Amino acid sequence: VYSTIGFPFYWQYLASKLWIGLLGMACALVIHLFFSSKKFAKNSLEFSLTQAIKGRNLSVHYQPIVDQRDRTVIGGESLVRWNDPVQGFISPGIFIPLAEKVGLIDQITYLVLDNAITMISENKIMFSERYISVNVSRSLILRGDFINEVESRLKYHYLASERLVFEITEEAI
């Protein structure tokens, strides 16, 4: 049967080893939080935007620019749109400021620029007298490599170089 002397000894022994159990539980909790935060980060809008840029899942649409004197289309403004497969349509009012905040706006600008160059190059007759405007942030235009980047993209697209207009975007700064 039970010895009254041995029973408190077991409790004392278990209490002395309690720190091992608590340490193991703390490690398990840290591991769980680490993997949960990675899963949460993958579901974040910033992660989704990064993936949309990498996968070129942003679409560019062109809004006509009309001469009010004779109502003829004289050009188009390139507008970037994002329809996320999980979160649906995301307003440019949400993802453009986010892109500026996290440093992705340059990549979006170059994606739009590439699309505009392709549009002009593939539709030479339509753009013989028209232009496409591309919005560019002031911070990007002021960077030293901006001109080199644009020149390299226009190297083999002479018509596009004559038909592009850059609009500097308004920034809160």
Side-chain angles (χ1 to χ4, degrees), residues 15-76:
S16 70
K17 302 300 181 192
L18 182 64
W19 69 273
I20 295 172
L22 290 174
L23 181 64
M25 288 181 2
C27 289
L29 180 62
V30 166
I31 291 169
H32 172 73
L33 290 174
F34 174 75
F35 286 109
S36 293
S37 68
K38 285 186 92 169
K39 183 178 178 182
F40 179 74
K42 285 187 176 183
N43 291 329
S44 74
L45 196 58
E46 179 181 336
F47 179 81
S48 296
L49 181 57
T50 303
Q51 294 306 310
I53 293 168
K54 285 180 184 175
R56 295 211 175 248
N57 292 331
L58 299 173
S59 59
V60 179
H61 299 263
Y62 296 96
Q63 176 176 302
I65 298 173
V66 178
D67 185 338
Q68 291 300 315
R69 295 172 292 190
D70 59 5
R71 302 216 183 270
T72 59
V73 175
I74 58 172

Side-chain angles (χ1 to χ4, degrees), residues 100-167:
E100 289 173 346
K101 180 181 175 186
V102 298
L104 297 172
I105 196 66
D106 298 358
Q107 294 174 41
I108 292 174
T109 300
Y110 290 131
L111 182 142
V112 173
L113 178 61
D114 290 342
N115 194 290
I117 291 169
T118 301
M119 174 66 86
I120 293 169
S121 298
E122 291 178 355
N123 299 285
K124 292 176 182 176
I125 294 172
M126 183 189 327
F127 287 100
S128 65
E129 299 293 324
R130 295 182 181 107
Y131 66 91
I132 292 181
S133 69
V134 175
N135 292 323
V136 182
S137 70
R138 182 178 55 205
S139 61
L140 179 58
I141 276 193
L142 294 175
R143 285 192 20 206
D145 65 337
F146 175 71
I147 297 297
N148 294 335
E149 190 68 38
V150 171
E151 284 179 341
S152 71
R153 292 168 189 273
L154 291 171
K155 190 173 185 176
Y156 302 107
H157 303 284
Y158 182 74
L159 176 65
S161 68
E162 293 182 338
R163 298 292 164 210
L164 279 175
V165 173
F166 293 110
E167 290 186 30

